Amino acid sequence: MNFLVSLATNLIELMQKSGETFSGMIIDTIPMLIALLTGMNFIIKLIGEEKINKLAIAFGKNKILTYGFLPSIAWFFFSSPGGVALGRFLPEKCKPGYEDALGATAHPLTSLFPHTVPFELFVWLGIAEGVKKAGYSTTTLAVRYILAGMILGLVRGVLTEYIFVKISRRNEYNVDSL
C-alpha cells in the first residue's frame, strides 16, 4: 500500500513540476516566439520576397553558400515550410543536397531562434536547463551547436549532391541539364 501512495505522490509532484515548466514557457517563450515571427515577417515584407528569392539563386552558385549558409538563412527567415520552398530556386542537382542540409541545420538553429522549428524547442529547453544547472552558459552552447549544424549541413549537402549526380549519370539522366 505504501508503494501505491508513494507512486501517486511522486506522480503528482512530477505533474506539478511539469505545470510550472509549462507556465514558464507560456509566460516567457510564447511571447518571445510571437515577437520573433512578427519581426521576421516584417523584415521579409520590408526587403521584399523577390529580393530574398534572388539571393537564393545567387547562393546556389557556390556549395559553401548553398549548403552551409542558405539553409540557416532559409530557416531563420522563412521557418517551415518556407525554408523548404526556397530550394525551388536552386539548380536541380543541388535540391537533394539542400534538403539534406536543411535537416542538419533546423534543430541547432532552434537553440537561439525558437521560431525555426518550434516543436523542437522543448528538446532544446530540456538540454538548456541541464546546462544551466551545471553552471554553464546556454548561449555559448547554442552558438557552438549552430556552427556544428552548419558544418554538418555543408558536409551532408555536398555528399548528397555527389551521390545524386553519380546515380543520375548511372541511370543515364543528363545531370548537367538538371
Side-chain angles (χ1 to χ4, degrees):
M1 188 62 140
N2 286 340
F3 172 73
L4 290 176
V5 171
S6 176
L7 182 67
T9 304
N10 288 335
L11 182 63
I12 293 299
E13 287 177 8
L14 175 66
M15 292 302 124
Q16 288 172 337
K17 290 289 185 187
S18 298
E20 289 173 18
T21 302
F22 184 69
S23 296
M25 287 180 189
I26 288 173
I27 292 168
D28 298 331
T29 306
I30 292 178
M32 180 182 64
L33 182 61
I34 291 170
L36 277 169
L37 287 171
T38 304
M40 290 304 103
N41 285 329
F42 173 74
I43 290 170
I44 290 168
K45 296 289 185 193
L46 190 65
I47 294 173
E49 202 168 326
E50 286 288 321
K51 289 181 182 175
I52 292 174
N53 291 338
K54 287 180 183 176
L55 180 67
I57 292 169
F59 271 39
K61 296 176 181 173
N62 181 306
K63 287 186 189 334
I64 293 174
L65 294 176
T66 302
Y67 305 128
F69 292 102
L70 185 59
S72 298
I73 289 170
W75 281 125
F76 184 78
F77 285 105
F78 296 109
S79 196
S80 180
V84 176
L86 192 61
R88 75 177 188 255
F89 301 104
L90 296 172
E92 283 301 315
K93 71 177 189 171
C94 296
K95 289 179 181 180
Y98 173 75
E99 293 297 323
D100 200 358
L102 274 176
T105 57
H107 306 295
L109 281 170
T110 303
S111 62
L112 284 181
F113 309 108
H115 69 284
T116 54
V117 186
F119 59 85
E120 193 67 31
L121 184 60
F122 298 104
V123 174
W124 168 254
L125 290 174
I127 293 167
E129 190 63 30
V131 169
K132 279 185 201 174
K133 284 183 180 178
Y136 297 106
S137 167
T138 56
T139 305
T140 303
L141 177 64
V143 170
R144 289 177 178 168
Y145 190 32
I146 290 170
L147 291 173
M150 290 175 72
I151 292 167
L152 183 62
L154 173 63
V155 170
R156 286 176 55 171
V158 169
L159 286 174
T160 301
E161 179 183 324
Y162 175 79
I163 292 167
F164 176 72
V165 168
K166 280 283 206 195
I167 291 172
S168 296
R169 287 194 176 134
R170 186 182 311 155
N171 291 333
E172 298 180 16
Y173 293 116
N174 186 0
V175 178
D176 297 325
S177 68
L178 294 177

